[in-house]
Amino acid sequence: MRKVLVLCLSAVLLAACGTPVVNPVTGRTERTVMDERAELAEGRKAHEGVLKEYGAYAHPALQAYVNEVGQRLAAQSHRAGLSWTFTVLDSPEINAFALPGGYVYITRGILAHMDNEAEMAGVLGHEIGHVTARHGAQRATRQQHAGLGVLAATLLAAVLENAAGVQGSTEFIGQAAQGVAAGYVAGYSREQELEADALGAEYLARTRYDPRRMIDVIRVLQRQETFQADEARAAGLPAPSASHWLSTHPGNDQRLRAIEQKALAYESSDRGGGDEGRRRFLKALEGLRYGDGPEQGLVRGQDFYHVPLGFALTAPPGWRLVNGSDALNIVSPQGDAALRLVGVPRDAGTTHDEMLRKLFNPQNGKTTRGQINGLAATHFSGTARLPNGQSQGVDVTLVSGPKNATYALLYLAASADALQRQAAGMMAAEKSFRALSAADRQQARPWQIRTVALPAGGFAELARRAAVSRERLQLINGTYGQADPPAGRLVKTVVVE
């Protein structure tokens, strides 16, 4: 379950009125609250937080491969002298981002949707461009002028998965609401995105990759967006809002034309030996974990399984499971309400009553005791007093789960009307909370990527022995909405570990 990071600028930066710095890309002087020394210090500090939050993916060979490609690109950039760090994060999210000072991250989730080394290089080159053009420092300066002392933008879309639009009810969940708001404030401007695209294409060309692969990267992510919309439409639901790398990197036709014009300005080359590094890339991805990892719980359709903690939960039809490191959100189809499951700290007390007092400081309301699938539960509905002295409505259930752990199920909504309208769905999800059964454990096995030759029956035949659908196999192989490639071509499949 994913924790939200909110990274604050140091007091020194906030107090600074700005110093003149020459932009390495444009050659122009710009005033900034983050000179290179501060940029390096902030990046180093935030890097520790990112690793603590996401964790580096435990695959040394893949880490070395991505770092080798990234270092070649960075050596041809406008800031080759920086000490660059490239890290594959253990996250299923389709995401990549960069911190000031030369820290670049790419998730295993986005790697699973790339087709070759040149496409991966395009993602890395784009993020290198944000660093070389000092976009993070420009954003920090803009935020200071707006009266905001946050650097949460370094996480880009990562915080946006936390059920955007749903308001928290107490200090217990207040940090998440701050993180979501900061994520929206922190977006790059369209000009910065276009500049990063252009720099990415330039760095590809300098490193002897085909710069047109920048176009393919955007199209890969557009297919992901189309796939999600098609899935929602088939289920009779509205299309979900973008929650991946493309959501902070707008991919409209104008942008694609701009990328194409920039890419065609460079001489095309291929250092991959005729296949854009596809063979090397697929070999590096062999065995890559696909989707959620068991350490933070697995989403399988409408079910959520957490083997280490020993519990499971089922979302109602149409509701969406949004998993994070510290919380699980079961979000309504309209996105206006969510049941948020969080672990109760062990020092919060030994009884449900004591936990309610320490966590929520309830003032008045109704307390109901009972059981959920044989587990002791206490529901409180009423008002709580926040640390600032104000009162706020709260609806929460505490349930004693397996392994002597207690969980809080928070009823969250954008308005009182939404809370009433979606209460039945949240109650249904709550009532599904249970200790893992043998059948649950069988479904809770993780998935991984394998490379195979496409059979004569195409992805339809391959799906019969895969862990995912034909459509998802097409998606990760870059052919969603298109004809299958010829039989015998090496493709990615997903199998149970």
Side-chain angles (χ1 to χ4, degrees):
M1 297 183 290
R2 174 75 54 213
K3 185 188 302 176
V4 178
L5 287 179
V6 179
L7 306 175
C8 296
L9 290 173
S10 67
V12 174
L13 288 177
L14 289 174
C17 61
T19 56
V21 171
V22 176
N23 188 295
V25 171
T26 66
R28 293 192 295 265
T29 299
E30 56 192 30
R31 296 198 69 83
T32 179
V33 298
M34 187 185 288
D35 60 17
E36 184 164 303
R37 180 185 297 179
E39 191 180 356
L40 294 173
E42 287 297 321
R44 196 160 45 243
K45 180 173 64 176
H47 176 63
E48 296 174 1
V50 171
L51 293 183
K52 182 179 179 181
E53 171 58 23
Y54 288 88
Y57 182 50
H59 194 312
L62 180 63
Q63 294 284 0
Y65 170 66
V66 172
N67 181 67
E68 187 267 331
V69 173
Q71 294 295 346
R72 279 196 276 107
L73 289 160
Q76 298 297 323
S77 76
H78 293 82
R79 301 181 75 178
L82 284 180
S83 180
W84 291 85
T85 300
F86 297 87
T87 306
V88 180
L89 296 179
D90 189 7
S91 170
E93 297 171 6
I94 299 176
N95 205 2
F97 57 95
L99 296 175
Y103 296 90
V104 176
Y105 308 89
I106 188 166
T107 63
R108 59 176 173 81
I110 198 171
L111 286 175
H113 290 79
M114 300 285 104
D115 185 61
N116 54 60
E117 183 176 292
E119 288 181 359
M120 180 185 75
V123 174
L124 297 176
H126 177 101
E127 298 304 333
I128 290 170
H130 279 309
V131 177
T132 58
R134 305 190 77 252
H135 290 161
Q138 292 170 358
R139 186 169 48 197
T141 303
R142 187 171 69 245
Q143 289 171 343
Q144 189 212 33
H145 291 162
L148 301 172
V150 295
L151 193 58
T154 53
L155 296 180
L156 298 181
V159 298
L160 300 182
E161 278 290 326
N162 289 272
V166 177
Q167 298 176 354
S169 59
T170 69
E171 184 67 19
F172 192 43
I173 54 169
Q175 186 179 5
Q178 294 171 11
V180 173
Y184 281 116
V185 169
Y188 288 119
S189 69
R190 182 169 297 276
E191 290 74 20
Q192 288 174 325
E193 292 297 351
L194 291 172
E195 185 175 29
D197 285 341
L199 289 169
E202 180 177 348
Y203 300 154
L204 286 180
R206 289 184 183 184
T207 321
R208 293 180 48 228
Y209 290 107
D210 187 341
R212 290 174 295 182
R213 298 292 76 79
M214 288 298 301
I215 304 168
D216 292 342
V217 168
I218 300 301
R219 287 176 175 159
V220 165
L221 298 169
Q222 284 183 321
R223 283 194 291 270
Q224 171 74 20
E225 200 167 54
T226 301
F227 173 79
Q228 291 178 331
D230 289 346
E231 274 198 326
R233 190 179 302 111
L237 301 172
S241 58
S243 58
H244 49 68
W245 195 69
L246 189 58
S247 67
T248 53
H249 301 64
N252 56 28
D253 292 340
Q254 179 184 356
R255 185 182 178 207
L256 284 173
R257 286 195 298 271
I259 296 172
E260 188 169 18
Q261 290 173 359
K262 291 289 184 181
L264 292 177
Y266 300 102
E267 181 180 351
S268 176
S269 59
D270 175 21
R271 66 174 300 131
D275 68 348
E276 297 167 331
R278 189 171 189 267
R279 290 185 296 272
R280 284 196 303 269
F281 181 76
L282 292 179
K283 182 179 179 181
L285 258 59
E286 186 71 16
L288 178 77
R289 177 164 288 168
Y290 182 77
D292 295 332
E295 299 82 6
Q296 295 180 348
L298 297 163
V299 175
R300 295 287 183 261
Q302 295 303 105
D303 294 303
F304 176 79
Y305 307 105
H306 204 304
V307 174
L309 298 179
F311 74 84
L313 182 146
T314 301
W319 288 60
R320 184 166 57 101
L321 289 159
V322 181
N323 184 29
S325 62
D326 276 3
L328 172 70
N329 295 303
I330 303 97
V331 184
S332 67
Q334 293 75 25
D336 58 354
L339 183 71
R340 183 175 176 85
L341 184 149
V342 293
V344 174
R346 292 192 179 274
D347 60 1
T350 57
T351 68
H352 287 183
D353 287 343
E354 186 179 2
M355 295 173 189
L356 285 171
R357 285 196 302 271
K358 285 189 176 182
L359 296 175
F360 300 100
N361 192 16
Q363 300 302 294
N364 55 71
K366 181 180 179 181
T367 301
T368 307
R369 307 185 194 285
Q371 289 190 339
I372 299 176
N373 295 312
L375 304 170
T378 302
H379 183 82
F380 173 78
S381 180
T383 59
R385 187 175 298 279
L386 303 181
N388 62 10
Q390 295 181 342
S391 294
Q392 188 167 331
V394 61
D395 233 317
V396 62
T397 297
L398 299 183
V399 57
S400 298
K403 302 187 178 182
N404 297 318
T406 303
Y407 299 91
L409 294 154
L410 292 144
Y411 286 62
L412 312 178
S415 66
D417 287 344
L419 181 63
Q420 183 176 6
R421 186 168 55 250
Q422 305 293 1
M426 289 188 277
M427 290 176 64
E430 176 186 293
K431 290 179 180 178
S432 74
F433 184 91
R434 61 193 182 274
L436 279 174
S437 66
D440 288 334
R441 291 182 183 276
Q442 183 69 14
Q443 295 296 321
R445 293 182 295 169
W447 297 335
Q448 62 182 187
I449 296 286
R450 290 291 180 189
T451 303
V452 297
L454 187 66
F459 287 115
E461 181 179 339
L462 187 58
R464 295 194 184 102
R465 54 182 185 269
V468 298
S469 67
R470 169 179 176 265
E471 290 76 17
R472 190 169 288 277
L473 289 175
Q474 291 175 317
L475 179 68
I476 66 173
N477 284 284
T479 63
Y480 184 70
Q482 304 172 17
D484 287 350
R489 178 178 171 82
L490 285 181
V491 295
K492 290 172 285 184
T493 188
V494 179
V495 300
V496 175
E497 285 189 6

